[in-house]
Amino acid sequence: MVNNRFLSYFSKHEKDIAAKIADKQQRDLIFITEDYLRPYLQFILDNKNIYRAAFRNPGGMQVDEQYKHLKQQILKPVLSRFAIPESIHKYYIAYYVEGIMAIVGEWLHSDCRDPVDTMVLVIRQCVRPPVPADSAGESHTRQTDMYR
């Protein structure tokens, strides 16, 4: 039930991604994009009470079981496509999953006061920080101004 409701936030294209990983080009396997983050974060916002409970009691909400599919069916095959050695997949997965969940946890802690668009930007920039256009950091200043 929850999985179907969650999937309803994504377009048909994003729902079918697990079945098509082997056929996709690498540029199409980068999921830290607005197309994936926006529906994910909107779902969390719309179900924030459930997510708060999950953060308070991850064992009771079977959080590890929920992420098992994501890890096995999506993240590991994507990492393999990027030629990341299987022996270190667990570190990459921990970084992405735990890092994003830490940001989501902070967002929930503040009652999701920041808009979804801001959270998309925060996550994207944590994963891929903007590179300054010049040594004075002008580009970075412009990027951080977007948070205001």
Side-chain angles (χ1 to χ4, degrees):
M1 170 95 172
V2 172
N3 285 341
N4 289 335
R5 191 169 56 218
F6 176 72
L7 289 174
S8 74
Y9 280 69
F10 293 87
S11 72
K12 176 80 170 125
H13 168 73
E14 281 83 16
K15 290 178 193 175
D16 293 338
I17 195 67
K20 297 179 181 176
I21 288 174
D23 301 329
K24 295 269 184 202
Q25 293 189 21
Q26 282 184 334
R27 71 174 176 267
D28 296 326
L29 295 174
I30 297 171
F31 301 125
I32 307 300
T33 66
E34 288 186 39
D35 291 343
Y36 293 97
L37 289 172
R38 187 178 316 287
Y40 170 69
L41 293 167
Q42 188 62 53
F43 181 81
I44 291 171
L45 177 62
D46 294 347
N47 297 278
K48 63 185 175 183
N49 292 332
I50 294 169
Y51 271 84
R52 278 195 197 106
F55 271 88
R56 283 192 303 269
N57 185 10
M61 298 295 285
Q62 299 178 331
V63 172
D64 287 335
E65 189 62 32
Q66 296 296 326
Y67 283 106
K68 184 185 235 178
H69 173 76
L70 173 70
K71 292 174 184 178
Q72 293 298 323
Q73 302 299 316
I74 297 177
L75 297 177
K76 285 185 176 206
V78 167
L79 291 172
S80 293
R81 287 287 314 279
F82 279 93
I84 305 299
E86 190 172 337
S87 62
I88 60 172
H89 281 187
K90 63 184 174 188
Y91 302 115
Y92 277 75
I93 291 170
Y95 173 79
Y96 283 103
V97 172
E98 302 298 328
I100 291 170
M101 291 312 296
I103 292 169
V104 167
E106 287 298 317
W107 188 45
L108 287 165
H109 184 70
S110 70
D111 198 35
C112 302
R113 277 188 289 246
D114 290 308
V116 167
D117 288 341
T118 298
M119 300 313 300
V120 167
L121 184 63
V122 167
I123 292 170
R124 288 183 67 205
Q125 289 191 348
C126 283
V127 172
R128 288 184 127 158
V131 178
D134 58 23
S135 60
E138 181 181 323
S139 174
H140 184 69
T141 302
R142 283 196 308 269
Q143 291 286 340
T144 57
D145 286 345
M146 294 174 70
Y147 295 124
R148 295 186 179 107

